[in-house]
Amino acid sequence: MRETEMGFLGFLLLGLIAGAIAKLILPGKQAGGWISTLILGVVGALLGGWLGGLIFDINLGGFFELRSWLLAIVGSLIVLIIWGFISSRLGSKKAD
């Protein structure tokens, strides 16, 4: 394993913090506790890493690298926006 790669626990911590930052950045109230924030952040970090590799030819680096944090936060914001759209659509169908 290279020095710049992070371990599983580092990735979970990155996802938790990135998900929390994404929830702080996005206006409005998002439901869910720390477990949903962790899931949101991990999925967002995966999405951000994938998009970074696809668009900019960069991948997630080490835990303390700025690109890892930016990719994870941007990915978490995208996941949070998509989740908000899906949950609002489901909520409006229940009201009908």
Side-chain angles (χ1 to χ4, degrees):
M1 180 155 67
R2 295 183 339 210
E3 284 184 26
T4 59
E5 293 179 359
M6 74 180 88
F8 181 72
L9 291 178
F11 190 76
L12 287 180
L13 183 61
L14 173 74
L16 178 63
I17 296 171
I21 291 172
K23 280 188 168 187
L24 289 174
I25 292 173
L26 201 63
K29 184 177 187 316
Q30 294 86 24
W34 69 271
I35 293 177
S36 65
T37 302
L38 174 66
I39 293 169
L40 160 82
V42 169
V43 171
L46 289 171
L47 177 65
W50 180 74
L51 287 175
L54 187 67
I55 297 170
F56 303 112
D57 198 28
I58 58 173
N59 295 314
L60 288 174
F63 184 79
F64 294 106
E65 291 185 35
L66 181 61
R67 70 176 178 192
S68 297
W69 288 94
L70 292 176
L71 289 172
I73 292 169
V74 169
S76 295
L77 284 168
I78 293 170
V79 170
L80 188 59
I81 290 168
I82 292 170
W83 178 250
F85 179 73
I86 291 171
S87 62
S88 69
R89 298 281 292 180
L90 291 175
S92 67
K93 286 186 178 182
K94 288 181 181 178
D96 291 340

